[in-house]
Amino acid sequence: MMRRKRLQFSAGKGDENSEIMAGKPKLHYTRGRGRMESIRWLLAAAGVEFEEEFIETKGDLDKLLNDGVLLFQQVPMVEIDGMKMVQTRAILCYIAGKYNLYGKDLKERAWIDMYVEGATDLMGMIMSHPLQPADTKEKNLALIIERATTRYFPVYEKALKAQGHDYLVGNKLSWADIHLLEAILMVEECKPGTLSAFPLLQAFKGRISNIPTIKKFLQPGSQRKPPPDEKYIANVRKIFNI
Ligand code: GSN
């Protein structure tokens, strides 16, 4: 009954119609975090169910390449609303916009973009950490913690204080909050206790982690992926020739 009603209602709405026809978004990536993890986070936070098709071998990637479905011969690729989207940021912007997580006007969007890009830069350092040469790893880890605590976390702590609200932008949950929580948890995996000098961020972490969709994603058995181990990194090197 519900479904029929929705179909009728969406008859004149291209987007909703194509969503029903296209089904759940389908994510094409390896069975690990990498660039896809933020997309998983955003969909999960928005309460959107998604399917995953894992690239386990170089042959799996070659198949996608031979099928001509990767615009720039790269993944992440997400099938959504009849599109085969690539480019991580484009995918994230589309999802954030579609599910009302991208601010109410251009200025809010600009702030969300700035906060998101900061968290992306920090997560990028962590993402590339396992690929660093063994003899620079310790130094690199120290740099990650230094950057987190002296460059990035102070900005978000200050923003929460200035806003006086629960969220970074517009007193409403946005992509920026979701992305920041992902970054905070990644930093804490590198070094527990890194948040200790940031009381507002600690409270923020507790609050955002308790949003029902996010709480569910943080529980075991969700589609959230574990940190990469050596076996995963070795396989990724083979798949992508790195
Ligand atoms: O953000 C993006 O989605 C793109 N600007 C970069 C995507 C990318 O580099 N994808 C890698 C695998 S995921 N790791 O970073 C990839 O598909 N590499 C194969 C290649 O031929 O570039």
Side-chain angles (χ1 to χ4, degrees), residues 38-80:
S38 296
I39 297 171
R40 297 184 184 109
W41 264 88
L42 195 57
L43 285 169
V48 179
E49 290 182 12
F50 58 88
E51 293 171 0
E52 300 196 80
E53 201 151 308
F54 295 116
I55 298 164
E56 314 262 20
T57 63
K58 181 132 185 43
D60 294 339
L61 180 62
D62 287 343
K63 166 124 190 17
L64 288 172
L65 290 168
N66 292 332
D67 288 348
V69 294
L70 304 178
L71 194 61
F72 297 112
Q73 293 128 47
Q74 292 177 318
V75 287
M77 190 271 272
V78 175
E79 295 183 57
I80 184 165

Side-chain angles (χ1 to χ4, degrees), residues 29 34-35 61 65 70 72-76 86-89 91 127 236 239-240 242:
Y29 200 70
R35 292 178 201 263
L61 180 62
L65 290 168
L70 304 178
F72 297 112
Q73 293 128 47
Q74 292 177 318
V75 287
V86 295
Q87 289 297 358
T88 312
R89 198 181 142 80
I91 298 166
M127 219 186 289
V236 161
I239 294 170
F240 298 113
I242 45 176

